[in-house]
Amino acid sequence: MTRICITLGIILASALFNLTFSQNKEISIQEGSGMFSIEGGLKHEEKIIQVFYHKPKVFSKKTRVLMVIPGSGRNGDSYRDSWIEESEKHNLLILSPSYPEKDYPYEGYHLGGILTDLNIRENVKFEQNSNQVFLNEEKVSFNINSNTKQWIFNDFDRLFDIATRHLKISQKQYDIFGHSAGGQILHRFAIFHPKSKANRIIAANSGSYTLTDFETHFPFGTKKTHLTNKDLKKSFAKKLTIFVGELDNEHSKGGILLRSKTVDKQGLHRLARAKYFFETAKNKAKQMGYKFNWKLKIVEGVGHNQRKMGNAAGEFLFD
């Protein structure tokens, strides 16, 4: 019995050491630019999310946190790099999580995991010499994932908590910026996950939107999702700013633009769709008598360019 207890103690001690080592390794954040990894959220624990960061030289316990969500390229390193100047100038900790496409496809990334079993790949057609892809809505099928704890929106608060705990930062909230696919994620984040610790949310140059419309099916509306009028009251209270480039219009060739019968009602380019989404939400809030904290910002002289949109967001947030 004594030998068994000793052996069990050794095993437990070893497991504890490995767990502690793994946790410390995951959250190692040094001055300058680097990368650490965290595991995925609920039901994604075996998946690894790389987090590219920049810790400024003037770092202190009062350093603010800015999370940067990449587009469909999942290139957190490039998105992080485009914010280094602002990081040093404004004393910001930059965190840019990269979700691998093989583990987080369109429904798991752009749509935040709200859908499962989406058969989109066999029902889209890319137009040659164009950035447009056409969706056959008649053949698309999916299921709504009603378990909100499995959505990737939960990862942002978790990442914030991991970083602030490790660095002993005193901040209780973070700002967050996303461009293109990242913009899609963040406007849905504001709508479907309003209880987050995010303070200011900037969703830039989204290709398509989920309208605050209970008559239109997800992902282009909120019909048959868990969302209620009461939930929208909290969503409209969030500090969401829709950023869109003035030149991200019908002449833009950047990114991928989804086209279909339903989404085209929002407009035929990103500038038109951003305006349509914002006005729809504004009218909805007015109709319901809810406070409306959302803003629309059109960035002059900029198209579908994450660096230039990031520069404009930096000025908007911190100058």
Side-chain angles (χ1 to χ4, degrees):
M1 179 64 72
T2 301
R3 182 176 296 177
I4 293 174
C5 290
I6 293 173
T7 303
L8 181 59
I10 293 172
I11 292 173
L12 291 174
S14 176
L16 181 60
F17 172 81
N18 290 334
L19 177 60
T20 303
F21 176 79
S22 175
Q23 289 175 339
N24 289 337
K25 184 179 179 181
E26 285 181 345
I27 60 175
S28 176
I29 302 176
Q30 307 299 321
E31 182 181 303
S33 295
M35 186 274 292
F36 62 91
S37 298
I38 63 173
E39 66 180 20
L42 184 64
K43 298 297 183 180
H44 300 285
E45 292 89 350
E46 77 286 358
K47 300 171 183 176
I48 299 299
I49 303 167
Q50 291 183 324
V51 181
F52 294 89
Y53 70 83
H54 187 81
K55 181 183 176 184
K57 295 178 182 178
V58 292
F59 174 83
S60 72
K61 291 183 178 180
K62 294 183 179 180
T63 293
R64 291 174 289 184
V65 178
L66 175 70
M67 217 167 291
V68 180
I69 309 303
S72 59
R74 323 302 176 93
N75 48 328
D77 51 350
S78 298
Y79 274 74
R80 180 270 318 275
D81 291 348
S82 67
W83 282 89
I84 290 176
E85 183 177 345
E86 284 86 355
S87 171
E88 296 293 348
K89 179 180 178 181
H90 300 292
N91 189 18
L92 307 172
L93 174 68
I94 307 299
L95 300 171
S96 187
S98 288
Y99 289 79
E101 188 170 5
K102 64 182 178 62
D103 295 327
Y104 295 88
Y106 177 78
E107 61 271 28
Y109 190 61
H110 298 58
L111 304 183
I114 297 175
L115 295 187
T116 60
D117 307 313
L118 177 66
N119 63 343
I120 191 172
R121 287 154 196 80
E122 55 266 41
N123 292 303
V124 292
K125 182 179 180 181
F126 287 82
E127 185 176 89
Q128 287 188 341
N129 302 317
S130 167
N131 68 334
Q132 302 189 22
V133 56
F134 289 82
L135 174 67
N136 186 342
E137 293 184 30
E138 304 300 323
K139 294 185 178 181
V140 169
S141 63
F142 55 81
N143 293 310
I144 297 287
N145 181 8
S146 59
N147 189 343
T148 61
K149 293 181 180 180
Q150 294 180 9
W151 300 351
I152 67 169
F153 308 137
N154 300 280
D155 293 345
F156 306 149
D157 278 10
R158 182 166 61 92
L159 173 55
F160 172 73
D161 289 341
I162 289 171
T164 54
R165 183 169 57 246
H166 173 65
L167 295 173
K168 296 180 173 59
I169 293 176
S170 60
Q171 300 293 340
K172 303 301 180 185
Q173 291 182 303
Y174 57 92
D175 296 318
I176 188 166
F177 167 84
H179 177 264
S180 197
Q184 289 197 45
I185 293 167
L186 291 192
H187 85 269
R188 295 180 177 116
F189 173 57
I191 293 172
F192 290 97
H193 197 70
K195 293 182 179 181
S196 74
K197 296 179 182 179
N199 180 22
R200 295 174 295 180
I201 303 169
I202 294 187
N205 286 357
S206 300
S208 62
Y209 291 87
T210 296
L211 303 177
T212 51
D213 172 16
F214 293 108
E215 301 302 317
T216 303
H217 284 280
F218 191 83
F220 306 128
T222 58
K223 186 175 182 179
K224 291 193 175 180
T225 65
H226 79 287
L227 205 70
T228 65
N229 285 340
K230 187 176 180 181
D231 294 323
L232 278 182
K233 184 176 183 178
K234 298 173 184 175
S235 302
F236 290 146
K238 295 297 289 187
K239 297 175 185 176
L240 169 67
T241 302
I242 300 301
F243 258 48
V244 62
E246 176 190 26
L247 303 182
D248 208 348
N249 52 28
E250 65 270 25
H251 304 297
S252 176
K253 302 299 181 184
I256 295 176
L257 187 68
L258 186 64
R259 299 285 307 278
S260 77
K261 179 179 179 181
T262 300
V263 75
D264 283 356
K265 293 177 182 178
Q266 300 178 13
L268 300 183
H269 50 81
R270 295 185 188 89
L271 177 60
R273 290 178 179 181
K275 292 178 178 178
Y276 187 88
F277 168 76
F278 180 79
E279 289 301 323
T280 298
K282 183 178 178 180
N283 292 334
K284 183 76 171 181
K286 183 178 180 180
Q287 173 191 341
M288 301 170 73
Y290 291 161
K291 183 178 181 180
F292 188 64
N293 281 335
W294 296 6
K295 297 178 181 179
L296 174 66
K297 171 69 174 176
I298 298 175
V299 182
E300 296 181 359
V302 177
H304 200 72
N305 185 303
Q306 69 96 351
R307 286 184 177 269
K308 291 182 179 180
M309 292 300 288
N311 290 339
E315 292 180 6
F316 179 83
L317 289 171
F318 306 113
D319 284 343

